[in-house]
């Protein structure tokens, strides 16, 4: 089973940008469904962006659509979350997550963002703080 390791979090002012990275190590084959969710103390996990690694197709939460972009670099076993036009309400801990299944042919099989938030393979998270 591959391990996920996030980086790229930090503190920015509203309107700024950050680019999160998630490296998958120790994995014999790529996970079909990966993405990012965020969790703030006292709030439910929120699936933010999902990517089907076979097709490159993506889903986004309405709260980040048009501002965040999830992408992948298969040569580096890495997925990214480019976050632009950050808002104070984006402040949270961001987690990279993967479904354990491999070989899924469509993004529909990945489930929706609510399922992403329950994927079993998760990194340690990286903190994002946006000040007004």
């Amino acid at each position: 089973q591959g391990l996920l390791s996030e980086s790229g979090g930090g503190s920015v002012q509203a309107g700024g940008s950050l680019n999160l990275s998630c490296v998958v190590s120790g994995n014999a084959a790529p996970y079909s469904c990966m993405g990012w969710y965020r969790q703030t103390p006292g709030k439910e996990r929120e699936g933010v962006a999902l990517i089907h690694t076979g097709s490159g197709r993506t889903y986004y939460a309405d709260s980040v659509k048009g501002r965040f972009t999830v992408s992948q670099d298969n040569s580096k076993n890495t997925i990214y979350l480019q976050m632009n036009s950050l808002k104070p309400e984006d402040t949270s801990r961001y987690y990279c997550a993967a479904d354990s299944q491999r070989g899924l042919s469509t993004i529909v099989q990945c489930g929706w963002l609510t399922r992403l938030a329950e994927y079993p393979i998760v990194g340690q998270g990286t903190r994002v703080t946006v000040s007004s």
Side-chain angles (χ1 to χ4, degrees):
Q1 176 167 295
L3 300 176
L4 308 181
S5 180
E6 305 98 330
S7 62
S11 298
V12 296
Q13 290 190 326
S17 299
L18 286 171
N19 189 26
L20 307 184
S21 299
C22 173
V23 178
V24 183
S25 61
N27 191 27
Y31 297 116
S32 293
C33 309
M34 296 188 65
W36 298 87
Y37 70 82
R38 60 191 181 188
Q39 187 162 27
T40 304
K43 295 185 178 181
E44 291 187 359
R45 291 179 188 175
E46 178 187 12
V48 170
L50 184 153
I51 185 166
H52 177 251
T53 59
S55 66
R57 288 200 64 190
T58 56
Y59 288 151
Y60 294 96
D62 287 343
S63 58
V64 306
K65 199 172 294 183
R67 300 188 297 121
F68 290 13
T69 303
V70 60
S71 61
Q72 60 182 341
D73 185 336
N74 293 333
S75 67
K76 297 181 180 179
N77 292 328
T78 301
I79 68 166
Y80 303 94
L81 185 67
Q82 176 66 43
M83 305 187 294
N84 298 328
S85 301
L86 283 161
K87 304 176 181 179
E89 51 263 43
D90 295 318
T91 295
S92 190
R93 191 166 187 86
Y94 286 72
Y95 295 86
C96 177
D99 192 359
S100 57
Q101 298 183 80
R102 297 182 174 94
L104 300 181
S105 57
T106 71
I107 193 171
V108 173
Q109 294 173 289
C110 296
W112 184 234
L113 293 169
T114 47
R115 183 172 159 202
L116 163 65
E118 302 299 328
Y119 280 175
I121 303 168
V122 185
Q124 80 284 357
T126 185
R127 179 75 181 167
V128 171
T129 302
V130 184
S131 58
S132 57

PDB file of all heavy atoms in Angstrom, residues 60-97:
ATOM      1  N   TYR A  60     -15.065  19.097  -8.491  1.00  0.00           N
ATOM      2  CA  TYR A  60     -14.747  20.134  -7.518  1.00  0.00           C
ATOM      3  C   TYR A  60     -15.969  20.449  -6.677  1.00  0.00           C
ATOM      4  O   TYR A  60     -17.098  20.430  -7.160  1.00  0.00           O
ATOM      5  CB  TYR A  60     -14.287  21.417  -8.217  1.00  0.00           C
ATOM      6  CG  TYR A  60     -12.985  21.277  -8.955  1.00  0.00           C
ATOM      7  CD1 TYR A  60     -12.965  21.017 -10.314  1.00  0.00           C
ATOM      8  CD2 TYR A  60     -11.770  21.394  -8.283  1.00  0.00           C
ATOM      9  CE1 TYR A  60     -11.774  20.877 -11.000  1.00  0.00           C
ATOM     10  CE2 TYR A  60     -10.566  21.253  -8.961  1.00  0.00           C
ATOM     11  CZ  TYR A  60     -10.580  20.993 -10.318  1.00  0.00           C
ATOM     12  OH  TYR A  60      -9.392  20.848 -10.990  1.00  0.00           O
ATOM     13  N   ALA A  61     -15.703  20.815  -5.435  1.00  0.00           N
ATOM     14  CA  ALA A  61     -16.769  21.351  -4.605  1.00  0.00           C
ATOM     15  C   ALA A  61     -17.152  22.729  -5.125  1.00  0.00           C
ATOM     16  O   ALA A  61     -16.306  23.475  -5.633  1.00  0.00           O
ATOM     17  CB  ALA A  61     -16.301  21.449  -3.155  1.00  0.00           C
ATOM     18  N   ASP A  62     -18.419  23.070  -4.964  1.00  0.00           N
ATOM     19  CA  ASP A  62     -18.887  24.385  -5.431  1.00  0.00           C
ATOM     20  C   ASP A  62     -18.114  25.514  -4.751  1.00  0.00           C
ATOM     21  O   ASP A  62     -17.886  26.565  -5.349  1.00  0.00           O
ATOM     22  CB  ASP A  62     -20.375  24.541  -5.148  1.00  0.00           C
ATOM     23  CG  ASP A  62     -21.230  23.695  -6.073  1.00  0.00           C
ATOM     24  OD1 ASP A  62     -20.711  23.241  -7.123  1.00  0.00           O
ATOM     25  OD2 ASP A  62     -22.413  23.489  -5.750  1.00  0.00           O
ATOM     26  N   SER A  63     -17.693  25.290  -3.519  1.00  0.00           N
ATOM     27  CA  SER A  63     -17.024  26.336  -2.747  1.00  0.00           C
ATOM     28  C   SER A  63     -15.652  26.704  -3.314  1.00  0.00           C
ATOM     29  O   SER A  63     -15.118  27.768  -2.994  1.00  0.00           O
ATOM     30  CB  SER A  63     -16.881  25.902  -1.286  1.00  0.00           C
ATOM     31  OG  SER A  63     -16.157  24.680  -1.210  1.00  0.00           O
ATOM     32  N   VAL A  64     -15.071  25.832  -4.153  1.00  0.00           N
ATOM     33  CA  VAL A  64     -13.730  26.099  -4.677  1.00  0.00           C
ATOM     34  C   VAL A  64     -13.688  26.121  -6.190  1.00  0.00           C
ATOM     35  O   VAL A  64     -12.639  26.426  -6.789  1.00  0.00           O
ATOM     36  CB  VAL A  64     -12.716  25.055  -4.161  1.00  0.00           C
ATOM     37  CG1 VAL A  64     -12.746  24.974  -2.648  1.00  0.00           C
ATOM     38  CG2 VAL A  64     -12.936  23.687  -4.785  1.00  0.00           C
ATOM     39  N   LYS A  65     -14.793  25.815  -6.824  1.00  0.00           N
ATOM     40  CA  LYS A  65     -14.824  25.736  -8.283  1.00  0.00           C
ATOM     41  C   LYS A  65     -14.412  27.079  -8.889  1.00  0.00           C
ATOM     42  O   LYS A  65     -14.869  28.143  -8.468  1.00  0.00           O
ATOM     43  CB  LYS A  65     -16.227  25.349  -8.744  1.00  0.00           C
ATOM     44  CG  LYS A  65     -16.304  24.796 -10.159  1.00  0.00           C
ATOM     45  CD  LYS A  65     -17.697  24.259 -10.444  1.00  0.00           C
ATOM     46  CE  LYS A  65     -18.028  23.063  -9.591  1.00  0.00           C
ATOM     47  NZ  LYS A  65     -19.357  22.491  -9.904  1.00  0.00           N
ATOM     48  N   GLY A  66     -13.515  27.012  -9.862  1.00  0.00           N
ATOM     49  CA  GLY A  66     -13.017  28.221 -10.499  1.00  0.00           C
ATOM     50  C   GLY A  66     -11.816  28.825  -9.816  1.00  0.00           C
ATOM     51  O   GLY A  66     -11.147  29.707 -10.380  1.00  0.00           O
ATOM     52  N   ARG A  67     -11.508  28.369  -8.593  1.00  0.00           N
ATOM     53  CA  ARG A  67     -10.354  28.895  -7.852  1.00  0.00           C
ATOM     54  C   ARG A  67      -9.277  27.831  -7.635  1.00  0.00           C
ATOM     55  O   ARG A  67      -8.088  28.153  -7.610  1.00  0.00           O
ATOM     56  CB  ARG A  67     -10.804  29.441  -6.496  1.00  0.00           C
ATOM     57  CG  ARG A  67     -11.817  30.553  -6.579  1.00  0.00           C
ATOM     58  CD  ARG A  67     -12.074  31.180  -5.193  1.00  0.00           C
ATOM     59  NE  ARG A  67     -12.647  30.220  -4.253  1.00  0.00           N
ATOM     60  CZ  ARG A  67     -12.082  29.888  -3.089  1.00  0.00           C
ATOM     61  NH1 ARG A  67     -10.934  30.416  -2.729  1.00  0.00           N
ATOM     62  NH2 ARG A  67     -12.678  29.022  -2.277  1.00  0.00           N
ATOM     63  N   PHE A  68      -9.690  26.593  -7.448  1.00  0.00           N
ATOM     64  CA  PHE A  68      -8.755  25.493  -7.186  1.00  0.00           C
ATOM     65  C   PHE A  68      -8.666  24.592  -8.410  1.00  0.00           C
ATOM     66  O   PHE A  68      -9.663  24.383  -9.117  1.00  0.00           O
ATOM     67  CB  PHE A  68      -9.230  24.655  -6.003  1.00  0.00           C
ATOM     68  CG  PHE A  68      -9.140  25.323  -4.660  1.00  0.00           C
ATOM     69  CD1 PHE A  68      -8.906  26.677  -4.520  1.00  0.00           C
ATOM     70  CD2 PHE A  68      -9.313  24.564  -3.502  1.00  0.00           C
ATOM     71  CE1 PHE A  68      -8.838  27.277  -3.281  1.00  0.00           C
ATOM     72  CE2 PHE A  68      -9.244  25.143  -2.243  1.00  0.00           C
ATOM     73  CZ  PHE A  68      -9.021  26.507  -2.146  1.00  0.00           C
ATOM     74  N   THR A  69      -7.477  24.022  -8.615  1.00  0.00           N
ATOM     75  CA  THR A  69      -7.268  23.076  -9.708  1.00  0.00           C
ATOM     76  C   THR A  69      -6.479  21.878  -9.201  1.00  0.00           C
ATOM     77  O   THR A  69      -5.392  22.056  -8.636  1.00  0.00           O
ATOM     78  CB  THR A  69      -6.505  23.723 -10.873  1.00  0.00           C
ATOM     79  OG1 THR A  69      -7.213  24.871 -11.336  1.00  0.00           O
ATOM     80  CG2 THR A  69      -6.354  22.731 -12.021  1.00  0.00           C
ATOM     81  N   VAL A  70      -7.020  20.693  -9.406  1.00  0.00           N
ATOM     82  CA  VAL A  70      -6.303  19.463  -9.052  1.00  0.00           C
ATOM     83  C   VAL A  70      -5.673  18.900 -10.325  1.00  0.00           C
ATOM     84  O   VAL A  70      -6.293  18.912 -11.400  1.00  0.00           O
ATOM     85  CB  VAL A  70      -7.237  18.435  -8.371  1.00  0.00           C
ATOM     86  CG1 VAL A  70      -8.402  18.032  -9.269  1.00  0.00           C
ATOM     87  CG2 VAL A  70      -6.443  17.230  -7.902  1.00  0.00           C
ATOM     88  N   SER A  71      -4.435  18.446 -10.209  1.00  0.00           N
ATOM     89  CA  SER A  71      -3.737  17.915 -11.371  1.00  0.00           C
ATOM     90  C   SER A  71      -2.802  16.796 -10.928  1.00  0.00           C
ATOM     91  O   SER A  71      -2.651  16.541  -9.731  1.00  0.00           O
ATOM     92  CB  SER A  71      -2.954  19.016 -12.082  1.00  0.00           C
ATOM     93  OG  SER A  71      -1.973  19.562 -11.221  1.00  0.00           O
ATOM     94  N   GLN A  72      -2.172  16.143 -11.888  1.00  0.00           N
ATOM     95  CA  GLN A  72      -1.290  15.027 -11.567  1.00  0.00           C
ATOM     96  C   GLN A  72      -0.057  15.059 -12.453  1.00  0.00           C
ATOM     97  O   GLN A  72      -0.095  15.578 -13.568  1.00  0.00           O
ATOM     98  CB  GLN A  72      -2.026  13.698 -11.748  1.00  0.00           C
ATOM     99  CG  GLN A  72      -2.524  13.464 -13.173  1.00  0.00           C
ATOM    100  CD  GLN A  72      -3.302  12.169 -13.323  1.00  0.00           C
ATOM    101  OE1 GLN A  72      -3.207  11.267 -12.492  1.00  0.00           O
ATOM    102  NE2 GLN A  72      -4.096  12.078 -14.374  1.00  0.00           N
ATOM    103  N   ASP A  73       1.014  14.497 -11.924  1.00  0.00           N
ATOM    104  CA  ASP A  73       2.227  14.254 -12.696  1.00  0.00           C
ATOM    105  C   ASP A  73       2.587  12.801 -12.449  1.00  0.00           C
ATOM    106  O   ASP A  73       3.167  12.465 -11.419  1.00  0.00           O
ATOM    107  CB  ASP A  73       3.353  15.195 -12.261  1.00  0.00           C
ATOM    108  CG  ASP A  73       4.597  15.046 -13.118  1.00  0.00           C
ATOM    109  OD1 ASP A  73       4.791  13.976 -13.732  1.00  0.00           O
ATOM    110  OD2 ASP A  73       5.401  15.993 -13.154  1.00  0.00           O
ATOM    111  N   ASN A  74       2.212  11.950 -13.387  1.00  0.00           N
ATOM    112  CA  ASN A  74       2.411  10.519 -13.178  1.00  0.00           C
ATOM    113  C   ASN A  74       3.888  10.141 -13.102  1.00  0.00           C
ATOM    114  O   ASN A  74       4.248   9.169 -12.435  1.00  0.00           O
ATOM    115  CB  ASN A  74       1.727   9.726 -14.293  1.00  0.00           C
ATOM    116  CG  ASN A  74       0.213   9.854 -14.238  1.00  0.00           C
ATOM    117  OD1 ASN A  74      -0.349  10.073 -13.168  1.00  0.00           O
ATOM    118  ND2 ASN A  74      -0.437   9.730 -15.373  1.00  0.00           N
ATOM    119  N   SER A  75       4.741  10.900 -13.770  1.00  0.00           N
ATOM    120  CA  SER A  75       6.168  10.593 -13.739  1.00  0.00           C
ATOM    121  C   SER A  75       6.769  10.808 -12.352  1.00  0.00           C
ATOM    122  O   SER A  75       7.810  10.242 -12.017  1.00  0.00           O
ATOM    123  CB  SER A  75       6.916  11.447 -14.760  1.00  0.00           C
ATOM    124  OG  SER A  75       6.889  12.817 -14.389  1.00  0.00           O
ATOM    125  N   LYS A  76       6.082  11.627 -11.555  1.00  0.00           N
ATOM    126  CA  LYS A  76       6.563  11.921 -10.200  1.00  0.00           C
ATOM    127  C   LYS A  76       5.673  11.303  -9.128  1.00  0.00           C
ATOM    128  O   LYS A  76       5.883  11.540  -7.939  1.00  0.00           O
ATOM    129  CB  LYS A  76       6.627  13.435  -9.990  1.00  0.00           C
ATOM    130  CG  LYS A  76       7.612  14.138 -10.901  1.00  0.00           C
ATOM    131  CD  LYS A  76       7.634  15.639 -10.623  1.00  0.00           C
ATOM    132  CE  LYS A  76       8.622  16.347 -11.532  1.00  0.00           C
ATOM    133  NZ  LYS A  76       8.657  17.799 -11.296  1.00  0.00           N
ATOM    134  N   ASN A  77       4.662  10.520  -9.552  1.00  0.00           N
ATOM    135  CA  ASN A  77       3.718   9.927  -8.589  1.00  0.00           C
ATOM    136  C   ASN A  77       3.158  10.987  -7.643  1.00  0.00           C
ATOM    137  O   ASN A  77       3.099  10.790  -6.429  1.00  0.00           O
ATOM    138  CB  ASN A  77       4.388   8.812  -7.780  1.00  0.00           C
ATOM    139  CG  ASN A  77       4.722   7.607  -8.626  1.00  0.00           C
ATOM    140  OD1 ASN A  77       4.025   7.293  -9.580  1.00  0.00           O
ATOM    141  ND2 ASN A  77       5.809   6.935  -8.291  1.00  0.00           N
ATOM    142  N   THR A  78       2.751  12.093  -8.219  1.00  0.00           N
ATOM    143  CA  THR A  78       2.346  13.242  -7.422  1.00  0.00           C
ATOM    144  C   THR A  78       1.043  13.833  -7.953  1.00  0.00           C
ATOM    145  O   THR A  78       0.845  13.903  -9.172  1.00  0.00           O
ATOM    146  CB  THR A  78       3.437  14.325  -7.453  1.00  0.00           C
ATOM    147  OG1 THR A  78       4.661  13.770  -6.945  1.00  0.00           O
ATOM    148  CG2 THR A  78       3.054  15.534  -6.624  1.00  0.00           C
ATOM    149  N   ILE A  79       0.183  14.246  -7.027  1.00  0.00           N
ATOM    150  CA  ILE A  79      -0.948  15.080  -7.409  1.00  0.00           C
ATOM    151  C   ILE A  79      -0.790  16.432  -6.722  1.00  0.00           C
ATOM    152  O   ILE A  79      -0.090  16.550  -5.703  1.00  0.00           O
ATOM    153  CB  ILE A  79      -2.321  14.458  -7.092  1.00  0.00           C
ATOM    154  CG1 ILE A  79      -2.579  14.375  -5.586  1.00  0.00           C
ATOM    155  CG2 ILE A  79      -2.474  13.091  -7.745  1.00  0.00           C
ATOM    156  CD1 ILE A  79      -4.030  14.082  -5.247  1.00  0.00           C
ATOM    157  N   TYR A  80      -1.426  17.440  -7.294  1.00  0.00           N
ATOM    158  CA  TYR A  80      -1.279  18.808  -6.817  1.00  0.00           C
ATOM    159  C   TYR A  80      -2.663  19.421  -6.591  1.00  0.00           C
ATOM    160  O   TYR A  80      -3.653  18.997  -7.171  1.00  0.00           O
ATOM    161  CB  TYR A  80      -0.535  19.661  -7.852  1.00  0.00           C
ATOM    162  CG  TYR A  80       0.820  19.121  -8.231  1.00  0.00           C
ATOM    163  CD1 TYR A  80       0.975  18.295  -9.350  1.00  0.00           C
ATOM    164  CD2 TYR A  80       1.945  19.422  -7.476  1.00  0.00           C
ATOM    165  CE1 TYR A  80       2.212  17.795  -9.707  1.00  0.00           C
ATOM    166  CE2 TYR A  80       3.188  18.927  -7.824  1.00  0.00           C
ATOM    167  CZ  TYR A  80       3.319  18.116  -8.934  1.00  0.00           C
ATOM    168  OH  TYR A  80       4.553  17.615  -9.280  1.00  0.00           O
ATOM    169  N   LEU A  81      -2.675  20.442  -5.772  1.00  0.00           N
ATOM    170  CA  LEU A  81      -3.860  21.271  -5.631  1.00  0.00           C
ATOM    171  C   LEU A  81      -3.400  22.724  -5.701  1.00  0.00           C
ATOM    172  O   LEU A  81      -2.821  23.244  -4.741  1.00  0.00           O
ATOM    173  CB  LEU A  81      -4.603  21.003  -4.316  1.00  0.00           C
ATOM    174  CG  LEU A  81      -5.918  21.758  -4.170  1.00  0.00           C
ATOM    175  CD1 LEU A  81      -6.938  21.243  -5.184  1.00  0.00           C
ATOM    176  CD2 LEU A  81      -6.467  21.621  -2.750  1.00  0.00           C
ATOM    177  N   GLN A  82      -3.626  23.338  -6.844  1.00  0.00           N
ATOM    178  CA  GLN A  82      -3.308  24.757  -7.010  1.00  0.00           C
ATOM    179  C   GLN A  82      -4.488  25.561  -6.493  1.00  0.00           C
ATOM    180  O   GLN A  82      -5.613  25.408  -6.996  1.00  0.00           O
ATOM    181  CB  GLN A  82      -3.050  25.077  -8.483  1.00  0.00           C
ATOM    182  CG  GLN A  82      -2.798  26.548  -8.763  1.00  0.00           C
ATOM    183  CD  GLN A  82      -1.514  27.054  -8.130  1.00  0.00           C
ATOM    184  OE1 GLN A  82      -0.480  26.382  -8.182  1.00  0.00           O
ATOM    185  NE2 GLN A  82      -1.577  28.231  -7.537  1.00  0.00           N
ATOM    186  N   MET A  83      -4.230  26.388  -5.508  1.00  0.00           N
ATOM    187  CA  MET A  83      -5.284  27.164  -4.872  1.00  0.00           C
ATOM    188  C   MET A  83      -5.039  28.640  -5.132  1.00  0.00           C
ATOM    189  O   MET A  83      -4.022  29.192  -4.674  1.00  0.00           O
ATOM    190  CB  MET A  83      -5.315  26.880  -3.362  1.00  0.00           C
ATOM    191  CG  MET A  83      -5.447  25.393  -3.039  1.00  0.00           C
ATOM    192  SD  MET A  83      -5.672  25.085  -1.275  1.00  0.00           S
ATOM    193  CE  MET A  83      -4.092  25.626  -0.657  1.00  0.00           C
ATOM    194  N   ASN A  84      -5.937  29.268  -5.859  1.00  0.00           N
ATOM    195  CA  ASN A  84      -5.847  30.693  -6.175  1.00  0.00           C
ATOM    196  C   ASN A  84      -7.001  31.448  -5.525  1.00  0.00           C
ATOM    197  O   ASN A  84      -7.991  30.854  -5.114  1.00  0.00           O
ATOM    198  CB  ASN A  84      -5.879  30.894  -7.686  1.00  0.00           C
ATOM    199  CG  ASN A  84      -4.711  30.241  -8.398  1.00  0.00           C
ATOM    200  OD1 ASN A  84      -3.606  30.139  -7.866  1.00  0.00           O
ATOM    201  ND2 ASN A  84      -4.950  29.789  -9.627  1.00  0.00           N
ATOM    202  N   SER A  85      -6.851  32.745  -5.465  1.00  0.00           N
ATOM    203  CA  SER A  85      -7.903  33.619  -4.907  1.00  0.00           C
ATOM    204  C   SER A  85      -8.374  33.087  -3.555  1.00  0.00           C
ATOM    205  O   SER A  85      -9.583  32.979  -3.299  1.00  0.00           O
ATOM    206  CB  SER A  85      -9.080  33.709  -5.884  1.00  0.00           C
ATOM    207  OG  SER A  85      -8.658  34.208  -7.125  1.00  0.00           O
ATOM    208  N   LEU A  86      -7.435  32.776  -2.708  1.00  0.00           N
ATOM    209  CA  LEU A  86      -7.768  32.180  -1.417  1.00  0.00           C
ATOM    210  C   LEU A  86      -8.575  33.141  -0.554  1.00  0.00           C
ATOM    211  O   LEU A  86      -8.377  34.370  -0.599  1.00  0.00           O
ATOM    212  CB  LEU A  86      -6.503  31.744  -0.700  1.00  0.00           C
ATOM    213  CG  LEU A  86      -5.908  30.435  -1.237  1.00  0.00           C
ATOM    214  CD1 LEU A  86      -4.448  30.292  -0.819  1.00  0.00           C
ATOM    215  CD2 LEU A  86      -6.717  29.249  -0.744  1.00  0.00           C
ATOM    216  N   LYS A  87      -9.472  32.556   0.226  1.00  0.00           N
ATOM    217  CA  LYS A  87     -10.347  33.313   1.116  1.00  0.00           C
ATOM    218  C   LYS A  87     -10.105  32.854   2.552  1.00  0.00           C
ATOM    219  O   LYS A  87      -9.669  31.720   2.779  1.00  0.00           O
ATOM    220  CB  LYS A  87     -11.809  33.049   0.738  1.00  0.00           C
ATOM    221  CG  LYS A  87     -12.161  33.361  -0.698  1.00  0.00           C
ATOM    222  CD  LYS A  87     -13.605  32.963  -0.993  1.00  0.00           C
ATOM    223  CE  LYS A  87     -13.980  33.248  -2.446  1.00  0.00           C
ATOM    224  NZ  LYS A  87     -15.384  32.845  -2.736  1.00  0.00           N
ATOM    225  N   PRO A  88     -10.433  33.686   3.521  1.00  0.00           N
ATOM    226  CA  PRO A  88     -10.271  33.256   4.920  1.00  0.00           C
ATOM    227  C   PRO A  88     -11.015  31.961   5.228  1.00  0.00           C
ATOM    228  O   PRO A  88     -10.542  31.150   6.036  1.00  0.00           O
ATOM    229  CB  PRO A  88     -10.836  34.442   5.703  1.00  0.00           C
ATOM    230  CG  PRO A  88     -10.567  35.615   4.820  1.00  0.00           C
ATOM    231  CD  PRO A  88     -10.777  35.101   3.424  1.00  0.00           C
ATOM    232  N   GLU A  89     -12.143  31.751   4.583  1.00  0.00           N
ATOM    233  CA  GLU A  89     -12.907  30.523   4.843  1.00  0.00           C
ATOM    234  C   GLU A  89     -12.246  29.275   4.267  1.00  0.00           C
ATOM    235  O   GLU A  89     -12.710  28.158   4.523  1.00  0.00           O
ATOM    236  CB  GLU A  89     -14.338  30.651   4.306  1.00  0.00           C
ATOM    237  CG  GLU A  89     -14.444  31.101   2.868  1.00  0.00           C
ATOM    238  CD  GLU A  89     -14.696  32.604   2.754  1.00  0.00           C
ATOM    239  OE1 GLU A  89     -14.057  33.377   3.496  1.00  0.00           O
ATOM    240  OE2 GLU A  89     -15.526  32.986   1.899  1.00  0.00           O
ATOM    241  N   ASP A  90     -11.163  29.436   3.497  1.00  0.00           N
ATOM    242  CA  ASP A  90     -10.385  28.285   3.027  1.00  0.00           C
ATOM    243  C   ASP A  90      -9.404  27.798   4.085  1.00  0.00           C
ATOM    244  O   ASP A  90      -8.770  26.744   3.910  1.00  0.00           O
ATOM    245  CB  ASP A  90      -9.603  28.639   1.758  1.00  0.00           C
ATOM    246  CG  ASP A  90     -10.502  28.941   0.572  1.00  0.00           C
ATOM    247  OD1 ASP A  90     -11.496  28.211   0.382  1.00  0.00           O
ATOM    248  OD2 ASP A  90     -10.211  29.911  -0.159  1.00  0.00           O
ATOM    249  N   THR A  91      -9.276  28.556   5.171  1.00  0.00           N
ATOM    250  CA  THR A  91      -8.383  28.145   6.246  1.00  0.00           C
ATOM    251  C   THR A  91      -8.811  26.796   6.795  1.00  0.00           C
ATOM    252  O   THR A  91      -9.957  26.603   7.196  1.00  0.00           O
ATOM    253  CB  THR A  91      -8.400  29.189   7.372  1.00  0.00           C
ATOM    254  OG1 THR A  91      -7.851  30.407   6.872  1.00  0.00           O
ATOM    255  CG2 THR A  91      -7.597  28.710   8.566  1.00  0.00           C
ATOM    256  N   SER A  92      -7.880  25.841   6.792  1.00  0.00           N
ATOM    257  CA  SER A  92      -8.183  24.481   7.242  1.00  0.00           C
ATOM    258  C   SER A  92      -6.919  23.635   7.153  1.00  0.00           C
ATOM    259  O   SER A  92      -5.867  24.114   6.713  1.00  0.00           O
ATOM    260  CB  SER A  92      -9.269  23.876   6.337  1.00  0.00           C
ATOM    261  OG  SER A  92      -9.758  22.653   6.860  1.00  0.00           O
ATOM    262  N   ARG A  93      -7.051  22.390   7.568  1.00  0.00           N
ATOM    263  CA  ARG A  93      -5.998  21.414   7.327  1.00  0.00           C
ATOM    264  C   ARG A  93      -6.423  20.600   6.110  1.00  0.00           C
ATOM    265  O   ARG A  93      -7.549  20.058   6.093  1.00  0.00           O
ATOM    266  CB  ARG A  93      -5.762  20.521   8.536  1.00  0.00           C
ATOM    267  CG  ARG A  93      -4.488  19.679   8.418  1.00  0.00           C
ATOM    268  CD  ARG A  93      -4.092  19.050   9.745  1.00  0.00           C
ATOM    269  NE  ARG A  93      -2.807  18.386   9.656  1.00  0.00           N
ATOM    270  CZ  ARG A  93      -1.642  18.992   9.828  1.00  0.00           C
ATOM    271  NH1 ARG A  93      -1.616  20.288  10.125  1.00  0.00           N
ATOM    272  NH2 ARG A  93      -0.504  18.325   9.725  1.00  0.00           N
ATOM    273  N   TYR A  94      -5.546  20.501   5.151  1.00  0.00           N
ATOM    274  CA  TYR A  94      -5.843  19.837   3.887  1.00  0.00           C
ATOM    275  C   TYR A  94      -5.163  18.470   3.858  1.00  0.00           C
ATOM    276  O   TYR A  94      -3.971  18.356   4.151  1.00  0.00           O
ATOM    277  CB  TYR A  94      -5.380  20.686   2.708  1.00  0.00           C
ATOM    278  CG  TYR A  94      -6.272  21.874   2.462  1.00  0.00           C
ATOM    279  CD1 TYR A  94      -6.267  22.963   3.330  1.00  0.00           C
ATOM    280  CD2 TYR A  94      -7.144  21.909   1.377  1.00  0.00           C
ATOM    281  CE1 TYR A  94      -7.111  24.048   3.127  1.00  0.00           C
ATOM    282  CE2 TYR A  94      -7.977  22.985   1.155  1.00  0.00           C
ATOM    283  CZ  TYR A  94      -7.958  24.054   2.031  1.00  0.00           C
ATOM    284  OH  TYR A  94      -8.796  25.130   1.822  1.00  0.00           O
ATOM    285  N   TYR A  95      -5.945  17.482   3.470  1.00  0.00           N
ATOM    286  CA  TYR A  95      -5.460  16.109   3.431  1.00  0.00           C
ATOM    287  C   TYR A  95      -5.543  15.564   2.012  1.00  0.00           C
ATOM    288  O   TYR A  95      -6.547  15.756   1.307  1.00  0.00           O
ATOM    289  CB  TYR A  95      -6.297  15.219   4.340  1.00  0.00           C
ATOM    290  CG  TYR A  95      -6.194  15.551   5.804  1.00  0.00           C
ATOM    291  CD1 TYR A  95      -7.005  16.525   6.387  1.00  0.00           C
ATOM    292  CD2 TYR A  95      -5.276  14.891   6.620  1.00  0.00           C
ATOM    293  CE1 TYR A  95      -6.906  16.830   7.733  1.00  0.00           C
ATOM    294  CE2 TYR A  95      -5.168  15.184   7.974  1.00  0.00           C
ATOM    295  CZ  TYR A  95      -5.989  16.163   8.523  1.00  0.00           C
ATOM    296  OH  TYR A  95      -5.887  16.460   9.853  1.00  0.00           O
ATOM    297  N   CYS A  96      -4.496  14.855   1.619  1.00  0.00           N
ATOM    298  CA  CYS A  96      -4.509  14.085   0.387  1.00  0.00           C
ATOM    299  C   CYS A  96      -5.057  12.705   0.716  1.00  0.00           C
ATOM    300  O   CYS A  96      -4.691  12.119   1.744  1.00  0.00           O
ATOM    301  CB  CYS A  96      -3.084  13.988  -0.152  1.00  0.00           C
ATOM    302  SG  CYS A  96      -2.904  13.006  -1.637  1.00  0.00           S
ATOM    303  N   ALA A  97      -5.926  12.198  -0.151  1.00  0.00           N
ATOM    304  CA  ALA A  97      -6.551  10.908   0.117  1.00  0.00           C
ATOM    305  C   ALA A  97      -6.640  10.084  -1.159  1.00  0.00           C
ATOM    306  O   ALA A  97      -6.712  10.628  -2.267  1.00  0.00           O
ATOM    307  CB  ALA A  97      -7.952  11.113   0.700  1.00  0.00           C
TER     308      ALA A  97
END
